[in-house]
Short mmCIF file of all heavy atoms in Angstrom, two decimals:
data_model
loop_
_atom_site.label_atom_id
_atom_site.label_comp_id
_atom_site.label_asym_id
_atom_site.label_seq_id
_atom_site.Cartn_x
_atom_site.Cartn_y
_atom_site.Cartn_z
N ASP A 19 -7.62 15.55 -1.23
CA ASP A 19 -8.21 14.41 -0.51
C ASP A 19 -7.29 13.97 0.63
O ASP A 19 -6.14 13.64 0.40
CB ASP A 19 -8.38 13.23 -1.48
CG ASP A 19 -9.85 12.98 -1.77
OD1 ASP A 19 -10.69 13.67 -1.16
OD2 ASP A 19 -10.14 12.11 -2.59
N GLN A 20 -7.83 14.00 1.82
CA GLN A 20 -7.05 13.59 2.98
C GLN A 20 -6.99 12.07 3.11
O GLN A 20 -7.98 11.39 2.89
CB GLN A 20 -7.64 14.18 4.27
CG GLN A 20 -7.25 15.61 4.53
CD GLN A 20 -5.75 15.79 4.62
OE1 GLN A 20 -5.10 16.21 3.67
NE2 GLN A 20 -5.19 15.46 5.75
N MET A 21 -5.83 11.58 3.47
CA MET A 21 -5.69 10.16 3.76
C MET A 21 -6.12 9.94 5.21
O MET A 21 -5.87 10.79 6.06
CB MET A 21 -4.23 9.72 3.63
CG MET A 21 -3.71 9.59 2.24
SD MET A 21 -2.09 8.75 2.28
CE MET A 21 -1.07 9.92 1.43
N THR A 22 -6.73 8.79 5.48
CA THR A 22 -7.00 8.42 6.87
C THR A 22 -5.67 8.00 7.51
O THR A 22 -4.68 7.76 6.80
CB THR A 22 -7.99 7.25 6.97
OG1 THR A 22 -7.36 6.09 6.41
CG2 THR A 22 -9.29 7.54 6.23
N ASP A 23 -5.65 7.89 8.82
CA ASP A 23 -4.43 7.46 9.50
C ASP A 23 -3.97 6.10 8.99
O ASP A 23 -2.78 5.87 8.77
CB ASP A 23 -4.65 7.38 11.02
CG ASP A 23 -4.68 8.77 11.65
OD1 ASP A 23 -4.23 9.74 11.00
OD2 ASP A 23 -5.15 8.89 12.79
N PHE A 24 -4.94 5.20 8.81
CA PHE A 24 -4.57 3.86 8.36
C PHE A 24 -4.06 3.88 6.92
O PHE A 24 -3.07 3.21 6.61
CB PHE A 24 -5.75 2.89 8.51
CG PHE A 24 -5.38 1.48 8.13
CD1 PHE A 24 -4.32 0.83 8.74
CD2 PHE A 24 -6.08 0.80 7.13
CE1 PHE A 24 -3.96 -0.46 8.38
CE2 PHE A 24 -5.73 -0.48 6.77
CZ PHE A 24 -4.67 -1.12 7.39
N GLU A 25 -4.70 4.67 6.06
CA GLU A 25 -4.22 4.79 4.68
C GLU A 25 -2.79 5.33 4.66
O GLU A 25 -1.95 4.86 3.92
CB GLU A 25 -5.13 5.72 3.87
CG GLU A 25 -6.45 5.07 3.50
CD GLU A 25 -7.47 6.07 2.95
OE1 GLU A 25 -7.11 7.25 2.72
OE2 GLU A 25 -8.62 5.67 2.76
N ARG A 26 -2.55 6.33 5.51
CA ARG A 26 -1.21 6.92 5.58
C ARG A 26 -0.19 5.88 6.03
O ARG A 26 0.92 5.82 5.50
CB ARG A 26 -1.22 8.13 6.54
CG ARG A 26 -0.01 9.02 6.40
CD ARG A 26 -0.12 10.30 7.20
NE ARG A 26 -1.19 11.16 6.71
CZ ARG A 26 -2.33 11.39 7.37
NH1 ARG A 26 -2.56 10.84 8.55
NH2 ARG A 26 -3.25 12.19 6.87
N LYS A 27 -0.60 5.04 6.99
CA LYS A 27 0.30 4.00 7.49
C LYS A 27 0.64 2.99 6.38
O LYS A 27 1.80 2.65 6.18
CB LYS A 27 -0.37 3.28 8.67
CG LYS A 27 0.51 2.28 9.36
CD LYS A 27 -0.16 1.71 10.60
CE LYS A 27 0.81 0.89 11.42
NZ LYS A 27 0.18 0.37 12.64
N VAL A 28 -0.39 2.55 5.67
CA VAL A 28 -0.19 1.60 4.56
C VAL A 28 0.72 2.23 3.50
O VAL A 28 1.66 1.61 3.01
CB VAL A 28 -1.55 1.17 3.95
CG1 VAL A 28 -1.35 0.42 2.64
CG2 VAL A 28 -2.34 0.32 4.94
N TYR A 29 0.44 3.49 3.18
CA TYR A 29 1.22 4.22 2.18
C TYR A 29 2.69 4.30 2.60
O TYR A 29 3.59 4.01 1.81
CB TYR A 29 0.63 5.62 2.02
CG TYR A 29 1.33 6.48 1.00
CD1 TYR A 29 1.10 6.31 -0.36
CD2 TYR A 29 2.22 7.47 1.40
CE1 TYR A 29 1.73 7.11 -1.29
CE2 TYR A 29 2.86 8.27 0.47
CZ TYR A 29 2.61 8.09 -0.88
OH TYR A 29 3.25 8.87 -1.80
N GLN A 30 2.93 4.66 3.87
CA GLN A 30 4.30 4.76 4.39
C GLN A 30 5.03 3.43 4.30
O GLN A 30 6.21 3.39 3.94
CB GLN A 30 4.29 5.21 5.86
CG GLN A 30 4.48 6.67 6.13
CD GLN A 30 5.38 7.41 5.17
OE1 GLN A 30 4.93 8.33 4.52
NE2 GLN A 30 6.65 7.04 5.05
N ILE A 31 4.35 2.35 4.64
CA ILE A 31 4.97 1.02 4.59
C ILE A 31 5.39 0.71 3.15
O ILE A 31 6.50 0.25 2.91
CB ILE A 31 4.01 -0.06 5.13
CG1 ILE A 31 3.81 0.12 6.64
CG2 ILE A 31 4.57 -1.47 4.83
CD1 ILE A 31 2.65 -0.69 7.21
N ILE A 32 4.49 0.98 2.21
CA ILE A 32 4.79 0.71 0.80
C ILE A 32 5.98 1.56 0.35
O ILE A 32 6.93 1.05 -0.27
CB ILE A 32 3.55 0.95 -0.09
CG1 ILE A 32 2.49 -0.11 0.23
CG2 ILE A 32 3.93 0.91 -1.57
CD1 ILE A 32 1.14 0.12 -0.45
N VAL A 33 5.96 2.85 0.69
CA VAL A 33 7.06 3.75 0.31
C VAL A 33 8.38 3.27 0.92
O VAL A 33 9.39 3.14 0.23
CB VAL A 33 6.77 5.20 0.77
CG1 VAL A 33 8.00 6.09 0.63
CG2 VAL A 33 5.61 5.79 -0.04
N ASN A 34 8.36 2.96 2.22
CA ASN A 34 9.58 2.54 2.92
C ASN A 34 10.14 1.25 2.35
O ASN A 34 11.34 1.12 2.16
CB ASN A 34 9.32 2.38 4.42
CG ASN A 34 9.10 3.71 5.10
OD1 ASN A 34 9.42 4.77 4.56
ND2 ASN A 34 8.53 3.67 6.28
N MET A 35 9.26 0.27 2.09
CA MET A 35 9.74 -1.00 1.56
C MET A 35 10.32 -0.82 0.17
O MET A 35 11.31 -1.45 -0.20
CB MET A 35 8.62 -2.03 1.57
CG MET A 35 8.31 -2.51 2.99
SD MET A 35 7.12 -3.85 3.05
CE MET A 35 8.12 -5.23 2.47
N GLN A 36 9.71 0.07 -0.62
CA GLN A 36 10.22 0.30 -1.97
C GLN A 36 11.59 0.96 -1.94
O GLN A 36 12.41 0.71 -2.82
CB GLN A 36 9.24 1.14 -2.77
CG GLN A 36 8.05 0.30 -3.18
CD GLN A 36 7.52 0.67 -4.56
OE1 GLN A 36 7.43 1.82 -4.90
NE2 GLN A 36 7.18 -0.33 -5.31
N LEU A 37 11.85 1.78 -0.93
CA LEU A 37 13.17 2.38 -0.79
C LEU A 37 14.24 1.31 -0.68
O LEU A 37 15.38 1.51 -1.10
CB LEU A 37 13.24 3.29 0.44
CG LEU A 37 12.49 4.62 0.36
CD1 LEU A 37 12.56 5.34 1.68
CD2 LEU A 37 13.04 5.49 -0.76
N TYR A 38 13.87 0.17 -0.10
CA TYR A 38 14.81 -0.94 0.06
C TYR A 38 14.69 -1.95 -1.07
O TYR A 38 15.16 -3.08 -0.95
CB TYR A 38 14.61 -1.61 1.42
CG TYR A 38 15.00 -0.69 2.55
CD1 TYR A 38 14.05 0.02 3.25
CD2 TYR A 38 16.35 -0.51 2.88
CE1 TYR A 38 14.41 0.90 4.27
CE2 TYR A 38 16.72 0.36 3.89
CZ TYR A 38 15.75 1.06 4.58
OH TYR A 38 16.12 1.92 5.57
N GLY A 39 14.00 -1.56 -2.13
CA GLY A 39 13.91 -2.43 -3.30
C GLY A 39 12.95 -3.59 -3.12
O GLY A 39 13.02 -4.57 -3.85
N LYS A 40 12.07 -3.49 -2.13
CA LYS A 40 11.10 -4.57 -1.91
C LYS A 40 9.73 -4.11 -2.37
O LYS A 40 9.39 -2.93 -2.27
CB LYS A 40 11.04 -4.92 -0.42
CG LYS A 40 12.32 -5.51 0.11
CD LYS A 40 12.08 -6.15 1.47
CE LYS A 40 13.30 -6.82 2.03
NZ LYS A 40 14.23 -5.87 2.66
N ASN A 41 8.95 -5.04 -2.86
CA ASN A 41 7.59 -4.74 -3.26
C ASN A 41 6.66 -5.40 -2.25
O ASN A 41 6.54 -6.62 -2.24
CB ASN A 41 7.36 -5.29 -4.68
CG ASN A 41 6.23 -4.58 -5.38
OD1 ASN A 41 6.06 -3.38 -5.24
ND2 ASN A 41 5.46 -5.33 -6.13
N PRO A 42 6.04 -4.61 -1.37
CA PRO A 42 5.26 -5.21 -0.29
C PRO A 42 4.08 -6.05 -0.78
O PRO A 42 3.36 -5.63 -1.67
CB PRO A 42 4.77 -4.02 0.52
CG PRO A 42 4.99 -2.83 -0.33
CD PRO A 42 6.04 -3.16 -1.31
N THR A 43 3.94 -7.21 -0.18
CA THR A 43 2.82 -8.10 -0.49
C THR A 43 1.71 -7.84 0.52
O THR A 43 1.92 -7.16 1.53
CB THR A 43 3.26 -9.57 -0.36
OG1 THR A 43 3.63 -9.79 1.01
CG2 THR A 43 4.43 -9.90 -1.27
N LEU A 44 0.57 -8.43 0.24
CA LEU A 44 -0.55 -8.34 1.18
C LEU A 44 -0.12 -8.90 2.55
O LEU A 44 -0.45 -8.31 3.59
CB LEU A 44 -1.73 -9.13 0.62
CG LEU A 44 -3.05 -8.95 1.34
CD1 LEU A 44 -3.49 -7.49 1.33
CD2 LEU A 44 -4.11 -9.79 0.67
N ASP A 45 0.62 -9.99 2.55
CA ASP A 45 1.09 -10.58 3.82
C ASP A 45 2.00 -9.62 4.58
O ASP A 45 1.91 -9.51 5.80
CB ASP A 45 1.82 -11.90 3.57
CG ASP A 45 0.84 -13.05 3.37
OD1 ASP A 45 -0.34 -12.90 3.76
OD2 ASP A 45 1.26 -14.09 2.83
N ASP A 46 2.89 -8.93 3.83
CA ASP A 46 3.76 -7.94 4.48
C ASP A 46 2.92 -6.87 5.16
O ASP A 46 3.16 -6.50 6.30
CB ASP A 46 4.65 -7.23 3.44
CG ASP A 46 5.71 -8.14 2.85
OD1 ASP A 46 6.19 -9.03 3.57
OD2 ASP A 46 6.06 -7.95 1.67
N LEU A 47 1.92 -6.38 4.44
CA LEU A 47 1.07 -5.31 4.97
C LEU A 47 0.25 -5.79 6.16
O LEU A 47 0.07 -5.06 7.13
CB LEU A 47 0.17 -4.74 3.87
CG LEU A 47 0.91 -4.00 2.75
CD1 LEU A 47 -0.04 -3.66 1.61
CD2 LEU A 47 1.60 -2.74 3.27
N LYS A 48 -0.22 -7.03 6.10
CA LYS A 48 -0.97 -7.60 7.23
C LYS A 48 -0.08 -7.69 8.46
O LYS A 48 -0.47 -7.34 9.56
CB LYS A 48 -1.53 -8.98 6.86
CG LYS A 48 -2.84 -8.90 6.10
CD LYS A 48 -3.23 -10.16 5.39
CE LYS A 48 -3.49 -11.35 6.26
NZ LYS A 48 -4.05 -12.47 5.45
N ARG A 49 1.14 -8.17 8.23
CA ARG A 49 2.07 -8.35 9.34
C ARG A 49 2.45 -6.99 9.95
O ARG A 49 2.48 -6.83 11.17
CB ARG A 49 3.33 -9.07 8.85
CG ARG A 49 4.11 -9.77 9.93
CD ARG A 49 5.16 -10.73 9.40
NE ARG A 49 5.95 -10.16 8.32
CZ ARG A 49 5.91 -10.57 7.04
NH1 ARG A 49 5.13 -11.56 6.69
NH2 ARG A 49 6.66 -10.00 6.12
N LYS A 50 2.69 -6.02 9.11
CA LYS A 50 3.18 -4.73 9.60
C LYS A 50 2.08 -3.85 10.19
O LYS A 50 2.37 -2.99 11.01
CB LYS A 50 3.91 -3.97 8.48
CG LYS A 50 5.25 -4.60 8.16
CD LYS A 50 5.94 -3.90 7.02
CE LYS A 50 7.23 -4.56 6.63
NZ LYS A 50 8.30 -4.35 7.62
N THR A 51 0.83 -4.04 9.76
CA THR A 51 -0.25 -3.20 10.29
C THR A 51 -1.06 -3.92 11.35
O THR A 51 -1.74 -3.28 12.16
CB THR A 51 -1.23 -2.77 9.19
OG1 THR A 51 -1.84 -3.93 8.62
CG2 THR A 51 -0.54 -1.96 8.10
N GLY A 52 -1.03 -5.26 11.34
CA GLY A 52 -1.85 -6.02 12.27
C GLY A 52 -3.33 -5.98 11.90
O GLY A 52 -4.19 -6.31 12.71
N LYS A 53 -3.63 -5.56 10.67
CA LYS A 53 -5.02 -5.45 10.23
C LYS A 53 -5.40 -6.61 9.32
O LYS A 53 -4.55 -7.33 8.83
CB LYS A 53 -5.23 -4.14 9.47
CG LYS A 53 -5.02 -2.91 10.31
CD LYS A 53 -6.27 -2.53 11.04
CE LYS A 53 -6.14 -1.14 11.62
NZ LYS A 53 -7.36 -0.69 12.22
N SER A 54 -6.70 -6.72 9.07
CA SER A 54 -7.20 -7.80 8.23
C SER A 54 -6.99 -7.49 6.76
O SER A 54 -6.77 -6.33 6.37
CB SER A 54 -8.69 -7.99 8.48
OG SER A 54 -9.40 -6.90 7.92
N GLU A 55 -7.09 -8.53 5.95
CA GLU A 55 -6.96 -8.39 4.51
C GLU A 55 -7.99 -7.40 3.97
O GLU A 55 -7.68 -6.56 3.13
CB GLU A 55 -7.13 -9.76 3.85
CG GLU A 55 -6.96 -9.72 2.36
CD GLU A 55 -6.91 -11.10 1.73
OE1 GLU A 55 -6.44 -12.05 2.39
OE2 GLU A 55 -7.36 -11.22 0.58
N GLU A 56 -9.22 -7.48 4.49
CA GLU A 56 -10.28 -6.57 4.02
C GLU A 56 -9.92 -5.12 4.28
O GLU A 56 -10.12 -4.26 3.42
CB GLU A 56 -11.62 -6.86 4.71
CG GLU A 56 -12.25 -8.19 4.35
CD GLU A 56 -11.87 -9.29 5.33
OE1 GLU A 56 -10.66 -9.48 5.60
OE2 GLU A 56 -12.79 -9.96 5.84
N ASP A 57 -9.41 -4.84 5.49
CA ASP A 57 -9.03 -3.48 5.85
C ASP A 57 -7.94 -2.96 4.92
O ASP A 57 -7.98 -1.81 4.47
CB ASP A 57 -8.51 -3.42 7.30
CG ASP A 57 -9.62 -3.59 8.32
OD1 ASP A 57 -10.80 -3.42 7.95
OD2 ASP A 57 -9.31 -3.90 9.48
N ILE A 58 -6.96 -3.82 4.66
CA ILE A 58 -5.84 -3.42 3.82
C ILE A 58 -6.30 -3.20 2.38
O ILE A 58 -5.95 -2.19 1.76
CB ILE A 58 -4.70 -4.46 3.90
CG1 ILE A 58 -4.10 -4.42 5.31
CG2 ILE A 58 -3.63 -4.17 2.85
CD1 ILE A 58 -3.29 -5.63 5.67
N ARG A 59 -7.10 -4.12 1.87
CA ARG A 59 -7.62 -3.96 0.51
C ARG A 59 -8.42 -2.67 0.36
O ARG A 59 -8.30 -1.97 -0.64
CB ARG A 59 -8.48 -5.16 0.11
CG ARG A 59 -7.67 -6.40 -0.21
CD ARG A 59 -8.54 -7.49 -0.80
NE ARG A 59 -7.83 -8.74 -0.95
CZ ARG A 59 -7.00 -9.01 -1.97
NH1 ARG A 59 -6.79 -8.12 -2.91
NH2 ARG A 59 -6.39 -10.17 -2.04
N ALA A 60 -9.24 -2.37 1.37
CA ALA A 60 -10.04 -1.15 1.34
C ALA A 60 -9.15 0.09 1.33
O ALA A 60 -9.39 1.03 0.57
CB ALA A 60 -11.00 -1.11 2.53
N ALA A 61 -8.11 0.08 2.16
CA ALA A 61 -7.19 1.23 2.23
C ALA A 61 -6.44 1.41 0.91
O ALA A 61 -6.31 2.52 0.40
CB ALA A 61 -6.21 1.06 3.39
N VAL A 62 -5.96 0.29 0.36
CA VAL A 62 -5.21 0.34 -0.90
C VAL A 62 -6.12 0.82 -2.03
O VAL A 62 -5.74 1.68 -2.83
CB VAL A 62 -4.58 -1.04 -1.24
CG1 VAL A 62 -4.08 -1.08 -2.67
CG2 VAL A 62 -3.44 -1.34 -0.28
N LYS A 63 -7.34 0.31 -2.06
CA LYS A 63 -8.30 0.72 -3.09
C LYS A 63 -8.57 2.23 -2.99
O LYS A 63 -8.60 2.93 -4.00
CB LYS A 63 -9.60 -0.06 -2.90
CG LYS A 63 -10.55 0.02 -4.08
CD LYS A 63 -11.85 -0.68 -3.71
CE LYS A 63 -12.28 -1.69 -4.75
NZ LYS A 63 -13.35 -2.55 -4.27
N SER A 64 -8.73 2.70 -1.77
CA SER A 64 -8.96 4.12 -1.55
C SER A 64 -7.76 4.96 -2.00
O SER A 64 -7.93 6.00 -2.65
CB SER A 64 -9.25 4.35 -0.07
OG SER A 64 -9.40 5.72 0.19
N LEU A 65 -6.55 4.49 -1.69
CA LEU A 65 -5.33 5.20 -2.12
C LEU A 65 -5.23 5.23 -3.64
O LEU A 65 -4.82 6.24 -4.22
CB LEU A 65 -4.09 4.53 -1.52
CG LEU A 65 -3.89 4.72 -0.02
CD1 LEU A 65 -2.84 3.77 0.51
CD2 LEU A 65 -3.51 6.16 0.31
N LEU A 66 -5.61 4.13 -4.28
CA LEU A 66 -5.60 4.08 -5.75
C LEU A 66 -6.61 5.08 -6.31
O LEU A 66 -6.31 5.82 -7.26
CB LEU A 66 -5.93 2.67 -6.25
CG LEU A 66 -4.85 1.61 -6.04
CD1 LEU A 66 -5.41 0.21 -6.23
CD2 LEU A 66 -3.68 1.83 -6.99
N MET A 67 -7.80 5.12 -5.72
CA MET A 67 -8.84 6.02 -6.20
C MET A 67 -8.47 7.48 -5.99
O MET A 67 -8.80 8.34 -6.80
CB MET A 67 -10.18 5.71 -5.53
CG MET A 67 -10.86 4.50 -6.16
SD MET A 67 -12.27 3.82 -5.22
CE MET A 67 -13.15 5.28 -4.76
N LYS A 68 -7.75 7.76 -4.92
CA LYS A 68 -7.31 9.13 -4.63
C LYS A 68 -6.10 9.51 -5.48
O LYS A 68 -5.66 10.66 -5.44
CB LYS A 68 -6.95 9.27 -3.14
CG LYS A 68 -8.16 9.22 -2.23
CD LYS A 68 -7.74 9.26 -0.78
CE LYS A 68 -8.95 9.12 0.13
NZ LYS A 68 -8.57 9.12 1.53
N GLY A 69 -5.53 8.53 -6.17
CA GLY A 69 -4.36 8.81 -7.00
C GLY A 69 -3.05 8.88 -6.23
O GLY A 69 -2.05 9.34 -6.76
N GLU A 70 -3.07 8.42 -4.98
CA GLU A 70 -1.83 8.44 -4.18
C GLU A 70 -0.90 7.30 -4.60
O GLU A 70 0.32 7.40 -4.46
CB GLU A 70 -2.14 8.29 -2.69
CG GLU A 70 -3.02 9.38 -2.11
CD GLU A 70 -2.29 10.71 -1.96
OE1 GLU A 70 -1.07 10.75 -2.10
OE2 GLU A 70 -2.99 11.71 -1.70
N LEU A 71 -1.49 6.21 -5.06
CA LEU A 71 -0.74 5.03 -5.48
C LEU A 71 -1.20 4.64 -6.87
O LEU A 71 -2.34 4.86 -7.24
CB LEU A 71 -1.09 3.84 -4.58
CG LEU A 71 -0.43 3.66 -3.23
CD1 LEU A 71 -0.99 2.39 -2.59
CD2 LEU A 71 1.07 3.58 -3.32
N LYS A 72 -0.28 4.01 -7.60
CA LYS A 72 -0.66 3.38 -8.86
C LYS A 72 0.00 2.01 -8.89
O LYS A 72 1.05 1.80 -8.32
CB LYS A 72 -0.18 4.20 -10.05
CG LYS A 72 -1.01 5.45 -10.27
CD LYS A 72 -0.77 6.02 -11.66
CE LYS A 72 -1.76 7.11 -12.00
NZ LYS A 72 -1.89 8.14 -10.99
N TRP A 73 -0.64 1.08 -9.55
CA TRP A 73 -0.11 -0.27 -9.68
C TRP A 73 0.31 -0.47 -11.13
O TRP A 73 -0.50 -0.27 -12.03
CB TRP A 73 -1.17 -1.30 -9.28
CG TRP A 73 -0.72 -2.72 -9.46
CD1 TRP A 73 -1.13 -3.58 -10.43
CD2 TRP A 73 0.22 -3.45 -8.65
NE1 TRP A 73 -0.51 -4.79 -10.26
CE2 TRP A 73 0.32 -4.75 -9.19
CE3 TRP A 73 0.98 -3.12 -7.53
CZ2 TRP A 73 1.16 -5.72 -8.64
CZ3 TRP A 73 1.80 -4.09 -6.99
CH2 TRP A 73 1.89 -5.37 -7.53
N ASP A 74 1.56 -0.81 -11.34
CA ASP A 74 2.06 -1.08 -12.69
C ASP A 74 1.88 -2.56 -12.98
O ASP A 74 2.57 -3.40 -12.40
CB ASP A 74 3.53 -0.68 -12.79
CG ASP A 74 4.06 -0.79 -14.21
OD1 ASP A 74 3.59 -1.69 -14.96
OD2 ASP A 74 4.94 0.00 -14.57
N LYS A 75 0.92 -2.87 -13.85
CA LYS A 75 0.61 -4.28 -14.12
C LYS A 75 1.77 -5.00 -14.81
O LYS A 75 1.95 -6.20 -14.65
CB LYS A 75 -0.63 -4.38 -15.01
CG LYS A 75 -1.91 -4.03 -14.28
CD LYS A 75 -3.14 -4.29 -15.16
CE LYS A 75 -4.43 -4.00 -14.43
NZ LYS A 75 -4.71 -2.57 -14.29
N LEU A 76 2.54 -4.27 -15.61
CA LEU A 76 3.65 -4.90 -16.34
C LEU A 76 4.77 -5.32 -15.39
O LEU A 76 5.24 -6.45 -15.44
CB LEU A 76 4.20 -3.94 -17.40
CG LEU A 76 3.29 -3.71 -18.61
CD1 LEU A 76 3.90 -2.67 -19.54
CD2 LEU A 76 3.04 -5.01 -19.36
N THR A 77 5.20 -4.39 -14.54
CA THR A 77 6.32 -4.71 -13.64
C THR A 77 5.82 -5.29 -12.32
O THR A 77 6.62 -5.74 -11.51
CB THR A 77 7.16 -3.46 -13.33
OG1 THR A 77 6.32 -2.51 -12.66
CG2 THR A 77 7.72 -2.83 -14.59
N LYS A 78 4.48 -5.24 -12.12
CA LYS A 78 3.89 -5.69 -10.86
C LYS A 78 4.50 -4.97 -9.67
O LYS A 78 4.91 -5.57 -8.67
CB LYS A 78 4.02 -7.21 -10.69
CG LYS A 78 3.35 -7.98 -11.82
CD LYS A 78 2.82 -9.31 -11.32
CE LYS A 78 2.16 -10.17 -12.35
NZ LYS A 78 1.40 -9.50 -13.39
N LYS A 79 4.59 -3.67 -9.79
CA LYS A 79 5.15 -2.84 -8.71
C LYS A 79 4.26 -1.64 -8.47
O LYS A 79 3.55 -1.19 -9.35
CB LYS A 79 6.54 -2.32 -9.11
CG LYS A 79 7.57 -3.40 -9.07
CD LYS A 79 8.97 -2.81 -8.95
CE LYS A 79 9.88 -3.88 -8.43
NZ LYS A 79 11.15 -3.98 -9.01
N TRP A 80 4.34 -1.13 -7.25
CA TRP A 80 3.63 0.09 -6.90
C TRP A 80 4.37 1.28 -7.50
O TRP A 80 5.60 1.32 -7.49
CB TRP A 80 3.57 0.26 -5.38
CG TRP A 80 2.69 -0.76 -4.75
CD1 TRP A 80 3.11 -1.82 -3.99
CD2 TRP A 80 1.26 -0.84 -4.83
NE1 TRP A 80 2.02 -2.56 -3.60
CE2 TRP A 80 0.88 -1.97 -4.09
CE3 TRP A 80 0.28 -0.07 -5.44
CZ2 TRP A 80 -0.45 -2.35 -3.95
CZ3 TRP A 80 -1.05 -0.45 -5.31
CH2 TRP A 80 -1.40 -1.57 -4.57
N ILE A 81 3.61 2.25 -7.97
CA ILE A 81 4.19 3.52 -8.42
C ILE A 81 3.71 4.56 -7.43
O ILE A 81 2.51 4.76 -7.24
CB ILE A 81 3.72 3.87 -9.84
CG1 ILE A 81 4.14 2.76 -10.81
CG2 ILE A 81 4.30 5.22 -10.26
CD1 ILE A 81 3.45 2.85 -12.16
N ILE A 82 4.66 5.20 -6.77
CA ILE A 82 4.34 6.16 -5.73
C ILE A 82 4.21 7.55 -6.35
O ILE A 82 5.07 7.97 -7.09
CB ILE A 82 5.46 6.19 -4.65
CG1 ILE A 82 5.76 4.79 -4.15
CG2 ILE A 82 5.10 7.12 -3.52
CD1 ILE A 82 4.68 4.12 -3.36
#
């Protein structure tokens, strides 16, 4: 499954922030992409469905 350019961008931001021990919030993603909440939620949902990302409910962190 190919990621769209925007999905790839969101994915990269999450990966990069996690390298620095940060867990990106919706606000971080909005600020860094300049996109709306709906666009970001759609991209994240798509990444989750494609299995590129997982959300750990216990630690509240992204699993790459």
Side-chain angles (χ1 to χ4, degrees):
D19 250 356
Q20 279 302 100
M21 285 191 235
T22 65
D23 285 344
F24 183 56
E25 286 168 8
R26 196 172 295 109
K27 186 174 190 178
V28 169
Y29 181 79
Q30 264 327 119
I31 292 167
I32 293 172
V33 169
N34 290 343
M35 288 186 74
Q36 285 216 319
L37 287 175
Y38 293 99
K40 295 194 177 81
N41 203 38
T43 63
L44 190 59
D45 280 342
D46 290 328
L47 293 172
K48 276 164 64 172
R49 202 167 46 248
K50 288 178 184 287
T51 62
K53 296 274 193 175
S54 71
E55 183 171 329
E56 293 93 309
D57 288 343
I58 292 162
R59 285 189 187 280
V62 167
K63 194 186 230 168
S64 177
L65 289 166
L66 288 165
M67 281 167 44
K68 289 176 184 178
E70 300 288 349
L71 278 180
K72 286 196 169 50
W73 177 253
D74 186 328
K75 288 186 178 75
L76 289 176
T77 62
K78 301 211 181 325
K79 287 201 160 138
W80 291 108
I81 301 166
I82 308 292

